[in-house]
Amino acid sequence: METEGLNRSVHTDEKWAEFILGQLLQNAARYRREDPVITISARPLGKQILLSVRNNGIGIPAHKLPRVYQRGYTGTNGRTRGGSTGMGLYLCKKLAVFLELDLRITSEEEGSGTEAILAFPAKEFPNM
């Protein structure tokens, strides 16, 4: 596990943000390779903080990426490895929309790892 830039503040519901982050970490660990590396990082982008959970795992084929948020979708890797319900990312996406966050899953190709990016509004302080 590697971390980078996690000293950022955001406004959100702590309980549901923990649920989303927990699911993203579970997926990163579940779809790992033999020598896993999971990196959690945060960086500012405009008026947002981007929180990234990246792994060097088995990846997702590009043509399947749009389906990962569908209720009940598990994909070949989920069915092969077992234990997948297809509800995790579905619930994460629904919660992200409810919390006015943006959730994106990216993977260059199968075998190249996956990155989940959660965009939070940055905490703003009034001028003093």
Side-chain angles (χ1 to χ4, degrees):
M1 179 79 68
E2 298 174 356
T3 62
E4 186 178 308
L6 297 181
N7 59 339
R8 313 275 179 195
S9 295
V10 296
H11 288 290
T12 194
D13 183 282
E14 183 179 350
K15 176 182 172 183
W16 294 118
E18 282 181 20
F19 175 88
I20 294 170
L21 184 56
Q23 183 63 50
L24 298 178
L25 287 169
Q26 284 178 37
N27 284 359
R30 176 179 287 143
Y31 300 108
R32 68 189 182 279
R33 283 198 233 165
E34 196 170 304
D35 296 319
V37 176
I38 298 173
T39 305
I40 305 171
S41 62
R43 66 182 173 89
L45 180 66
K47 292 187 175 190
Q48 295 182 317
I49 300 293
L50 302 183
L51 180 66
S52 167
V53 177
R54 185 174 59 247
N55 73 11
N56 65 338
I58 59 178
I60 303 168
H63 68 281
K64 293 184 179 182
L65 278 172
R67 298 187 63 200
V68 299
Y69 307 113
Q70 291 177 356
R71 184 175 189 237
Y73 179 74
T74 58
T76 306
N77 292 327
R79 289 187 299 276
T80 302
R81 291 177 176 242
S84 297
T85 64
M87 294 301 291
L89 290 178
Y90 166 77
L91 291 172
C92 288
K93 186 67 166 181
K94 292 288 185 188
L95 285 169
V97 169
F98 179 75
L99 296 172
E100 298 181 354
L101 308 176
D102 183 34
L103 174 61
R104 293 176 301 223
I105 307 293
T106 63
S107 184
E108 291 180 23
E109 61 186 35
E110 198 165 9
S112 69
T114 302
E115 182 176 25
I117 301 169
L118 195 55
F120 293 88
K123 186 173 183 178
E124 295 182 21
F125 297 98
N127 294 333
M128 296 188 173

